Amino acid sequence: MNQRKALFQIALDILTKQEAKKLLKPEVLSVVDIVEIGTPLIMRYGLSIVELIKDWTKGDKILFADTKIADAGRWETNETISAGANMVSVLAGASTYTLEEVRDATQLNQAKMVVDIIDLSLSDENKIKFIYSLCPDYLCIHLSTDVVKKGGSLLEFSRQSSFVSSRRLPLMVAGGIHSLNLPEILKSIQPAIVVAGSSITKASNPKLEAQNMRRIIDETIFF
């Protein structure tokens, strides 16, 4: 019987480059598998921040650039990978042509494609079927920061998604995840990747929160 546990991803979002560098200390890096360069960080500094973080992490971590590509799929994917990213995100609501271009560019460059459903109507059955046909490396079940601020629940959102109930694609989960709700998220969704952002970056003790989440992930084995 196959066993697996989720990968752990830290998301660096509304930060300065100095704050991001301070967070990426060895004691935090040692417990995460993937470092996400969030959309706000990319908007603030451009793709040069991907190059910087690759240097700061000494190339030892998978780097996910949360580009949320919506157009110019091939060009934007190639630029992002050239900057040092191993994983690139594209919006599920993008055109089928853009999604296909991102898929082709990631495959050609041996990178990973993440389809983010943050903007996808869960009633769009044709688009859902098309996304399945793409066979992306990961599908991100993503509750937006704005929804989290209004009290939204990732677990409740996930219960509405056929992507979660079918588990036909490896799932990345993001949005309001912290050490207190992580056990239930792992149990209910069984994701391939768990993403934690502000629960770590805004914690009074980021190292402790990251270590607590790592411990919970390590104690949860999927069959």
Side-chain angles (χ1 to χ4, degrees):
M1 184 177 294
N2 292 330
Q3 298 183 5
R4 68 172 180 87
K5 61 184 178 184
L7 297 176
F8 186 23
Q9 177 172 307
I10 183 173
L12 307 175
D13 286 312
I14 304 176
L15 302 167
T16 65
K17 66 174 68 174
Q18 293 80 12
E19 289 169 336
K21 186 175 184 180
K22 184 178 179 181
L23 276 163
L24 295 177
K25 292 180 178 178
E27 55 264 33
V28 171
L29 283 174
S30 66
V31 299
V32 302
D33 303 295
I34 303 168
V35 175
E36 174 188 331
I37 302 95
T39 314
L41 204 57
I42 294 172
M43 289 188 72
R44 175 170 278 172
Y45 297 111
L47 289 176
S48 64
I49 193 64
V50 179
E51 298 172 342
L52 272 177
I53 290 176
K54 184 174 184 179
D55 182 56
W56 295 341
T57 57
K58 300 179 172 59
D60 292 336
K61 295 295 173 182
I62 298 168
L63 296 187
F64 168 41
D66 191 16
T67 43
K68 292 188 176 74
I69 292 170
D71 195 7
R74 188 181 305 274
W75 187 87
E76 292 190 10
T77 300
N78 286 336
E79 288 293 303
T80 306
I81 294 170
S82 294
N86 311 106
M87 299 168 65
V88 177
S89 67
V90 57
L91 291 174
S95 73
T96 56
Y97 303 110
T98 297
L99 284 157
E100 287 173 338
E101 288 209 352
V102 175
R103 178 200 59 193
D104 293 347
T106 49
Q107 289 182 350
L108 184 64
N109 290 282
Q110 298 182 314
K112 302 293 185 183
M113 175 188 187
V114 179
V115 174
D116 191 329
I117 70 164
I118 194 169
D119 68 331
L120 180 68
S121 168
L122 297 178
S123 63
D124 191 343
E125 294 183 7
N126 288 333
K127 195 59 169 292
I128 289 171
K129 289 178 182 178
F130 177 76
I131 289 170
Y132 277 128
S133 75
L134 284 173
C135 297
D137 296 286
Y138 298 102
L139 186 84
C140 187
I141 307 299
H142 192 173
L143 195 66
S144 77
T145 301
D146 297 329
V147 174
V148 172
K149 286 179 180 177
K150 296 294 185 181
S153 164
L154 178 64
L155 279 169
E156 187 60 35
F157 177 64
S158 71
R159 292 186 185 108
Q160 303 171 33
S161 174
S162 61
F163 288 118
V164 175
S165 57
S166 73
R167 293 199 177 94
R168 286 169 56 186
L169 295 171
L171 301 177
M172 174 189 289
V173 290
I177 301 175
H178 46 74
S179 55
L180 296 180
N181 63 10
L182 178 57
E184 183 60 27
I185 287 169
L186 289 169
K187 178 182 176 182
S188 298
I189 303 177
Q190 298 186 15
I193 300 174
V194 168
V195 183
S198 59
S199 62
I200 296 175
T201 63
K202 294 183 180 179
S204 57
N205 190 332
K207 178 183 76 171
L208 182 60
E209 176 67 5
Q211 290 174 338
N212 284 340
M213 295 185 78
R214 175 87 258 178
R215 174 184 54 78
I216 293 166
I217 289 170
D218 287 345
E219 291 174 353
T220 307
I221 305 297
F222 306 133
F223 294 90

